[in-house]
Amino acid sequence: MRLTPPTTPPAGARPVDAAAAPRRFATTRWSVVLAAGGAGSEARRALGELCEGAWYPLYAFARRTGLNHADAADAVQGFFADLLDRGWVKDADAARGRFRTFLKVAFRRHLGRLREAKGALKRGGGVNTLTLAPPDAAARYAREPAHAETPEALYERRWALELLARVLDRLEEEHAGDDRFPVLKPCLTGSAERSYAELGATLNMTEAAVKTAVHRLRNRYRELLKAEVAGTVALPSDVADELNALRASL
């Protein structure tokens, strides 16, 4: 999937509220968490939102270190419970903090503590603000490449892919009811097998109109992507570097 595939929806699609379109990122979800040290209802809510989508990348990290499915799942759930309850966010570097990196380092330490405790895994049944284990986690991991990819590299790649999937879902939600979006969607993911002319024939649009629609979708995708990434860094100036890091992980 492309990292930079979209500001204006294709003709006929539901208009996007300009006020809702991301412009500046003076306050991000991660900066809210850092400012409060993870404490307070607003910070906990922001932290919970940030953790949405992080379950599988952490699970894959744990599996790649040698844990089986049950132990890896328990490790992730226990980690999320401790993340909310023990104030680990206070250890994050507020000046250079990136949630992706903080989460990876904190989880690695969590696994180390579990090993020191001889596998006394804490089950995270009390975590009701975060995503629970996806039912297909084990099956998804079985499809991961079997080469010697490090836990860190697998985590970074899965983080990027999960983020891209969320952005694409948001874009699809914005175009709910537009029958053309499912046809044009492959042009965003790099999986299109038909030319613009062929797509135009399917949609009863000219080739030029298809090009324009795809261009607008890509612009909107980029805006949503930047907004999603901005929520995971402490400073607006970190967005470009974080995007570059995500590209590198893919």
Side-chain angles (χ1 to χ4, degrees):
M1 182 180 291
R2 297 177 181 175
L3 250 182
T4 55
T7 300
T8 305
R14 188 174 53 190
V16 177
D17 182 2
R23 296 185 181 278
R24 296 190 178 186
F25 313 107
T27 301
T28 73
R29 285 174 293 177
W30 184 223
S31 66
V32 168
V33 175
L34 288 173
S41 59
E42 184 179 358
R44 288 174 66 89
R45 181 168 57 252
L47 183 59
E49 292 174 356
L50 282 168
C51 288
E52 292 292 336
W55 198 97
Y56 181 77
L58 291 175
Y59 168 84
F61 183 105
R63 290 296 305 271
R64 192 53 58 97
T65 66
L67 294 183
N68 61 28
H69 166 68
D71 285 348
D74 285 345
V76 176
Q77 288 304 115
F79 171 70
F80 280 147
D82 286 344
L83 189 63
L84 288 172
D85 296 338
R86 297 192 179 184
W88 289 347
V89 175
K90 294 178 182 178
D91 298 330
D93 187 336
R96 297 175 299 175
R98 298 186 187 183
F99 182 66
R100 169 181 55 85
T101 303
F102 164 77
L103 206 63
K104 179 177 63 177
V105 173
F107 186 62
R108 187 192 300 124
R109 292 173 180 169
H110 178 70
L111 292 180
R113 285 190 288 267
L114 291 180
R115 292 190 178 92
E116 290 177 359
K118 298 181 180 180
L121 299 177
K122 175 182 177 180
R123 298 185 180 272
V127 183
N128 55 17
T129 59
L130 302 178
T131 302
L132 299 179
D136 63 340
R140 287 180 64 186
Y141 185 77
R143 295 193 294 269
E144 295 289 352
H147 54 68
E149 188 174 38
T150 66
E152 289 79 8
L154 179 58
Y155 167 84
E156 297 287 352
R157 180 164 57 83
R158 275 297 151 195
W159 178 277
L161 290 173
E162 293 291 316
L163 184 146
L164 290 174
R166 291 197 301 276
V167 171
L168 197 59
D169 286 344
R170 287 185 60 189
L171 186 64
E172 190 164 7
E173 289 174 2
E174 288 187 354
H175 291 82
D178 183 356
D179 294 336
R180 291 173 298 179
F181 184 81
V183 180
L184 298 176
K185 181 179 177 179
C187 297
L188 302 176
T189 62
S191 60
E193 298 180 351
R194 293 187 291 171
S195 68
Y196 286 164
E198 291 171 325
L199 292 174
T202 299
L203 298 172
N204 194 28
M205 298 169 62
T206 66
E207 182 177 356
V210 171
K211 289 181 180 180
T212 298
V214 171
H215 176 71
R216 289 172 175 171
L217 283 173
R218 286 176 175 163
N219 284 341
R220 182 57 180 159
Y221 184 98
R222 291 187 186 99
E223 287 195 350
L224 294 173
L225 176 60
K226 289 179 180 178
E228 185 71 25
V229 169
T232 69
V233 297
L235 301 172
S237 57
D238 290 336
V239 172
D241 287 343
E242 183 69 357
L243 282 169
N244 288 333
L246 294 174
R247 292 188 186 95
S249 70
L250 295 175

